[in-house]
Amino acid sequence: MFNRLSQLTRHLARPPPNYLTASPAALSILRPCVSNMTSSAVHNYTKTIHTAACLIIGDEVLGGKTIDTNSAYFAKYCFSLGIQLKRVEVIADDESEIIEAVRRMSSKPRIPGDCPVMSEANYVPYLGTKSHDDITYESIAKAFGLKLKLHRAAFDRMKKLSKPHPMQPQFDWDTPSPGLTAKLRMVELPHDDTLPEEQQAIFVADDMWVPIAIVNGNVHILPGVPRLFERLLEHLKPTLLPRLTNPEGKGIYRYLFSTPLPESAVAPYLTDLATRTSSQGIKVGSYPRWGKKRNTVTLVGTDQNFMDSLVSEVEQNVQGRRVTQEDVLDPPSDAE
């Protein structure tokens, strides 16, 4: 089974209802109460996006068989849009693990590391590929008291856009077969009868049949195949932009400073700088480059004008210069 990536944002409003903390075994008992999630899902679907978390689900990743690249791509994607990626987790293909993680990351008021003053909603995509042994969609459905349902529009698009497999020359879309059953299973998505279809699955690319399923208003299910994942995320961007803190999608800025000083020499100044600028949302970093003669200091934030005002001060105090990449000022001997 392909690795699954789930980017999940937490909405930070009221404490979650009981169904979020129930064990899987108790879901059938609590199902009548799950209707309370509808208002939460609608709220999550429309709230401003501030933060995100990323859940990678796959035994292949934990076993070293597959190298996850989706989380790195998503981190850069969030950074470019000004969305703060707060957490990346990797868990096994285990139903109870998936249920616990997806509930917590979708609805927990505060995950360790989140800004304690943050009280807005956040972004939650999830990514999975359905194969014969995939339990991701089913587990996410169970997490929110839902069932899987054939998404007719996705199936129709699949029939229109899919090419026949050379090893299945006799396959027919209208004739029951193991192959047809497998294809139908790929478009069985978590479904909430109380919500409009367009709030539960969206198509973002005309030439792709793969839908992005949305659960609880902020859990987005995308294919884990990197090529598909990246394309769908890029096509999803126009949908996200109106919901960002900065609708223009200017993103987060990272300023690099190359310094000849060791980290211990600049630490006192950087500590003071971090204290003075934290209220402006600036994060100050220091990164030793082992075996090199120059180290790197970084400023990360969303207020570009304020960051520009700090450039001269930082350059003077670290005896360095702002650079576009950290090795620009390396002497020739460092490059050998």
Side-chain angles (χ1 to χ4, degrees):
M1 178 165 39
F2 294 105
N3 66 297
R4 260 79 55 187
L5 169 64
S6 173
Q7 303 102 348
L8 302 162
T9 40
R10 292 76 62 192
H11 92 62
L12 309 177
R14 64 184 63 181
N18 291 338
Y19 75 90
L20 292 173
T21 55
S23 66
L27 275 177
S28 60
I29 299 175
L30 293 175
R31 193 154 309 207
C33 300
V34 172
S35 59
N36 294 333
M37 70 174 269
T38 301
S39 59
S40 175
V42 173
H43 192 50
N44 289 342
Y45 187 82
T46 58
K47 288 188 73 173
T48 301
I49 297 168
H50 295 270
T51 64
C54 176
L55 179 64
I56 303 165
I57 304 173
D59 292 338
E60 301 90 335
V61 176
L62 291 173
K65 180 181 178 182
T66 299
I67 297 176
D68 166 59
T69 59
N70 288 339
S71 58
Y73 186 91
F74 185 64
K76 295 176 182 177
Y77 180 83
C78 289
F79 194 92
S80 71
L81 293 177
I83 301 172
Q84 296 185 51
L85 181 60
K86 290 291 188 177
R87 168 169 293 199
V88 175
E89 294 186 19
V90 183
I91 63 174
D93 290 301
D94 178 272
E95 181 179 283
S96 62
E97 293 282 339
I98 296 172
I99 289 175
E100 185 279 329
V102 77
R103 287 174 178 166
R104 168 171 48 82
M105 299 179 83
S106 176
S107 303
K108 187 173 181 179
R110 187 174 298 119
I111 289 179
D114 278 356
C115 177
V117 300
M118 189 171 293
S119 59
E120 303 86 1
N122 314 308
Y123 177 47
V124 190
Y126 164 88
L127 302 129
T129 301
K130 300 199 75 175
S131 58
H132 74 283
D133 60 345
D134 182 42
I135 62 170
T136 303
Y137 282 53
E138 183 177 3
S139 299
I140 291 179
K142 286 184 178 181
F144 298 100
L146 305 175
K147 293 184 178 180
L148 297 181
K149 180 180 178 181
L150 176 68
H151 195 281
R152 176 58 59 177
F155 181 57
D156 291 341
R157 288 170 67 100
M158 177 192 285
K159 289 194 292 183
K160 179 181 178 181
L161 298 173
S162 295
K163 296 180 179 179
H165 195 284
M167 298 302 292
Q168 294 179 312
Q170 304 302 319
F171 176 80
D172 182 78
W173 289 101
D174 299 316
T175 303
S177 66
L180 180 59
T181 299
K183 291 181 183 295
L184 288 170
R185 188 169 182 270
M186 295 175 70
V187 286
E188 290 179 345
L189 308 179
H191 180 77
D192 185 341
D193 292 333
T194 66
L195 296 176
E197 288 284 350
E198 61 270 18
Q199 291 187 10
Q200 301 189 64
I202 58 176
F203 299 96
V204 295
D206 292 337
D207 61 341
M208 300 179 70
W209 64 262
V210 183
I212 298 178
I214 305 173
V215 182
N216 201 36
N218 62 0
V219 178
H220 295 58
I221 308 178
L222 291 79
V225 181
R227 178 174 57 86
L228 298 179
F229 167 55
E230 294 172 10
R231 279 204 68 207
L232 287 174
L233 266 187
E234 290 305 319
H235 281 83
L236 181 64
K237 190 176 295 185
T239 303
L240 300 180
L241 287 177
R243 298 178 56 197
L244 301 180
T245 304
N246 180 351
E248 297 179 2
K250 291 184 178 179
I252 303 172
Y253 301 96
R254 179 185 287 113
Y255 286 12
L256 304 178
F257 298 85
S258 177
T259 173
L261 300 178
E263 187 174 37
S264 58
V266 297
Y269 164 70
L270 295 182
T271 299
D272 173 69
L273 178 64
T275 301
R276 288 189 285 113
T277 61
S278 62
S279 63
Q280 299 290 328
I282 302 298
K283 293 185 177 181
V284 180
S286 175
Y287 301 93
R289 300 174 61 224
W290 304 112
K292 305 295 183 180
K293 292 183 173 63
R294 302 185 72 88
N295 298 315
T296 303
V297 168
T298 65
L299 300 183
V300 177
T302 57
D303 189 337
Q304 188 176 26
N305 290 332
F306 180 65
M307 294 172 67
D308 285 342
S309 71
L310 297 173
V311 171
S312 296
E313 174 193 330
V314 175
E315 288 181 331
Q316 179 179 350
N317 282 275
V318 303
Q319 298 179 27
R321 278 173 43 194
R322 183 185 171 190
V323 294
T324 55
Q325 57 188 51
E326 60 183 1
D327 60 354
V328 167
L329 299 181
D330 285 353
S333 58
D334 275 7
E336 295 177 355

